[in-house]
Amino acid sequence: MQTREDIFNTLRDSLVELFELEPERITLDANLYQDLEIDSIDAVDLIDHIKRKTGKKIAADEFKSVRTVNDVVEAVYRLVHPGA
C-alpha cells in the first residue's frame, strides 16, 4: 500500500469483505456513516482491519475526524508515509 490508489483499492476490498457492500457504492466521496451505513462498532472493526493490513495502528483520535472514504485513504497514507 504505497500509493493512494493502492490504499483505496485495499480499503474498497476490505469494505466489501467486512460489510458486504457493493463495490460500486464505495467511492472517494462516499460518507462512511450516511452513504455506506457504517456504525461506530463497524468503524472499530475497520480500524482493526487496517492495523492488520498495514502493521500500524491508527489512533482512535485521528479516526474520529474521518467522514469519507477519502478521509480514510488520507489517514492511512499519512500512517504509512510519516511526514508526508
Side-chain angles (χ1 to χ4, degrees):
M1 290 199 303
Q2 293 300 313
T3 67
R4 286 174 173 88
E5 186 175 350
D6 290 341
I7 294 167
F8 171 73
N9 290 332
T10 301
L11 179 61
R12 183 186 57 221
D13 294 345
S14 298
L15 289 166
V16 168
E17 176 188 333
L18 291 170
F19 309 116
E20 300 176 1
L21 297 170
E22 299 84 21
E24 60 274 4
R25 288 181 60 196
I26 303 166
T27 65
L28 288 172
D29 295 331
N31 185 292
L32 295 174
Y33 307 104
Q34 295 168 349
D35 300 329
L36 303 180
E37 300 171 10
I38 290 175
D39 62 24
S40 57
I41 294 170
D42 293 337
V44 171
D45 291 341
L46 183 58
I47 291 170
D48 187 55
H49 191 78
I50 291 168
K51 179 182 172 185
R52 282 180 284 166
K53 290 277 189 187
T54 63
K56 300 176 188 283
K57 184 178 182 199
I58 291 182
D61 291 348
E62 184 160 345
F63 214 76
K64 284 181 184 176
S65 64
V66 166
R67 295 288 175 259
T68 66
V69 170
N70 190 60
D71 293 341
V72 178
V73 169
E74 289 301 318
V76 173
Y77 186 82
R78 286 190 305 271
L79 190 66
V80 296
H81 298 285

